[in-house]
Amino acid sequence: MNKFLETVACNMGKIAVALVAALILFPWVFSSSYILRIVTVCMMYVMIALSINLLTGFLGMMTLGQAAFWGIGAYTAAILSTRLGLGMGLCMLASALAAGVLSLLVALPTMRLKGYFLTVVTLGFGEIVRLIEMNWMDLTRGPLGIAGIPSPNFFGIDLSSNRQIYYVMLVLVILSALLIFSVVHSRVGLAIMSIRDDDLAAAAMGVNVVKYKIMVFILSTMIVGVAGAFYAHYINFIDPSGFTTAASTDMLVMAIFGGLGSIPGTILGASILIILPETIRALAEYRNLVYGLIIVILMMVKPDGILGNVNFQYIRQRVQQRKEQKGGGAQ
């Protein structure tokens, strides 16, 4: 297992390039509309799970309100596209802004508090948002939902085919992964991980704990808002039933299953938990049982998740040091 991790760590760049190349070629190899829709939805959840991992895995703050911000993004895009005729690009920007502004209102009074207070607040916020979506008939049409949402388009260019929509989602998930990777491997990333490990020590070293918590929370929710806008344009219909606390829990499980604090783990975990139920659909009544057993067994065997606590950068450095030591001994 250690040899395998060392091989992966030393070839992360090549693996990432190969994965992106495979994803680019995927629609041309598997042209089935069913398969493309499953993989497209899978990538959307990968995008959401990455945003949760940024907040929970790297910053250490548990949230159960991501479905609320997903719904805010979806409803913002649905309302602007159906009533004002805006394209998906502008709707995504508006959805990110709406999610960011509302997350700021949630963050300002809560980020100074410790413990699981944010979890409770986001849980309550999610329920408030769901009730608004359910009862504000003039704006959201309540339980009737919003139908007739235009298919994905950019600046008047129609992107309604499954293959085109797939590529739109692929670009979004790559940009999200690159953004989170850049944040994590920067001075900001060092600051937020120090907050996760010990916020008192981080504050003593001059880290503005509250500022970084607010920044990461807003960034995380803005990514989810963009995913919500894509979802609305992709499905063409939304209603409050999709943006519940149960949906937030499923999103959090995806991040935990892959491994908190691991970007590759998040991608792997979310992909498994989205694709697996479809592969065992033939089992029908036993599908949820199998799904639950897999999660329970993994949490018993490896509670950190599939790639939790696996520091590929550290492993790569150790391998490099070992090679240098061997080279020096040979000389």
Side-chain angles (χ1 to χ4, degrees), residues 224-243:
V224 177
V226 173
F230 172 84
Y231 176 76
H233 284 280
Y234 183 46
I235 301 299
N236 305 125
F237 171 82
I238 58 170
D239 67 355
S241 64
F243 312 112

Side-chain angles (χ1 to χ4, degrees), residues 93-173:
L93 292 176
S95 295
L97 182 61
V101 170
L102 289 173
S103 67
L104 177 62
L105 297 178
V106 174
L108 286 175
T110 59
M111 289 302 172
R112 296 183 184 276
L113 301 172
K114 299 182 181 295
Y116 291 97
F117 194 83
L118 178 66
T119 308
V120 177
V121 170
T122 53
L123 181 63
F125 177 76
E127 193 62 22
I128 290 171
V129 171
R130 189 188 68 83
L131 290 174
I132 290 173
E133 293 167 352
M134 182 69 71
N135 295 290
W136 195 348
M137 296 295 296
D138 293 337
L139 183 66
T140 66
R141 300 189 71 240
L144 298 177
I146 299 177
I149 303 170
S151 296
N153 63 86
F154 274 108
F155 304 105
I157 301 174
D158 182 47
L159 301 173
S160 58
S161 73
N162 289 319
R163 187 175 292 165
Q164 291 171 326
I165 296 172
Y166 170 93
Y167 283 123
V168 171
M169 190 65 248
L170 178 60
V171 170
L172 289 175
V173 77

Side-chain angles (χ1 to χ4, degrees), residues 72-88:
I72 289 168
Y75 270 96
T76 300
I79 292 168
L80 292 178
S81 60
T82 56
R83 300 188 184 184
L84 300 181
L86 297 185
M88 188 173 72

Side-chain angles (χ1 to χ4, degrees), residues 156-221:
I157 301 174
D158 182 47
L159 301 173
S160 58
S161 73
N162 289 319
R163 187 175 292 165
Q164 291 171 326
I165 296 172
Y166 170 93
Y167 283 123
V168 171
M169 190 65 248
L170 178 60
V171 170
L172 289 175
V173 77
I174 290 174
L175 291 176
S176 300
L178 289 175
L179 174 61
I180 293 173
F181 181 86
S182 299
V183 170
V184 170
H185 292 83
S186 67
R187 293 182 63 184
V188 175
L190 294 175
I192 64 176
M193 284 187 280
S194 70
I195 294 170
R196 175 194 64 191
D197 295 334
D198 191 331
D199 57 350
L200 290 177
M205 295 299 293
V207 176
N208 191 329
V209 174
V210 175
K211 183 185 78 171
Y212 282 111
K213 284 183 177 181
I214 293 175
M215 285 172 54
V216 173
F217 187 61
I218 292 174
L219 177 59
S220 174
T221 56

